[in-house]
């Protein structure tokens, strides 16, 4: 899952002139008919896909400071978990925190 996340964050990185790498590779695919390997390197196993979805929910609601994205706190995770009524385990939360650290490093 971390390999998938790393690639996903890399593909989402803004490019000079606008857009992101994912947009660029998608245009290459559309114009050439050949799918660039960068769009298909890693996948998330279905049994843990829910953790990625949960992370994206938290990531999209994250706070930003003067220096950019702030880490998702345990307090925010607890509030999200209670509001959304998710049955996240401590292992799920550890994975979400690792994904969060990776996301912040890639920004």
């Amino acid at each position: 899952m971390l390999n998938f996340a790393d690639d996903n964050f890399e593909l989402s990185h803004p490019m000079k002139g606008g857009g992101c790498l994912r947009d660029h590779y998608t245009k290459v695919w559309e114009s050439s008919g050949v799918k660039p390997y960068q769009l298909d390197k890693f996948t998330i196993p279905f049994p843990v896909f829910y953790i990625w979805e949960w992370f994206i929910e938290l990531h999209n609601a994250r706070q930003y400071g003067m220096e950019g994205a702030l880490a998702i706190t345990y307090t925010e995770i607890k509030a999200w978990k209670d509001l959304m009524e998710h049955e996240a385990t401590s292992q799920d939360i550890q994975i979400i925190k690792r994904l969060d650290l990776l996301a912040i490093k890639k920004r």
Side-chain angles (χ1 to χ4, degrees):
M1 180 180 291
L2 292 176
N3 288 334
F4 170 83
D6 190 44
D7 274 359
N8 188 61
F9 299 142
E10 189 69 34
L11 289 171
S12 299
H13 196 272
M15 293 177 57
K16 291 180 182 177
C20 63
L21 285 173
R22 181 180 286 106
D23 295 339
H24 171 74
Y25 289 130
T26 300
K27 288 177 185 172
V28 168
W29 184 12
E30 290 169 352
S31 66
S32 70
V34 178
K35 186 175 186 179
Y37 76 92
Q38 292 90 339
L39 293 177
D40 216 13
K41 286 171 58 175
F42 296 102
T43 58
I44 298 176
F46 182 75
V48 294
F49 189 76
Y50 70 96
I51 297 172
W52 177 253
E53 289 179 323
W54 289 353
F55 168 72
I56 293 300
E57 286 179 28
L58 287 159
H59 176 70
N60 288 338
R62 84 165 58 247
Q63 296 186 36
Y64 288 80
M66 299 281 287
E67 302 280 325
L70 300 175
I72 299 168
T73 66
Y74 286 107
T75 304
E76 291 168 328
I77 293 171
K78 170 98 169 91
W80 161 83
K81 183 177 171 263
D82 293 346
L83 285 169
M84 303 306 285
E85 299 180 351
H86 289 309
E87 296 293 327
T89 66
S90 60
Q91 184 178 5
D92 295 338
I93 292 168
Q94 288 173 356
I95 294 169
I96 288 169
K97 288 295 286 179
R98 289 183 69 190
L99 291 168
D100 185 44
L101 288 172
L102 187 60
I104 289 174
K105 284 182 184 178
K106 289 291 181 173
R107 292 212 167 241

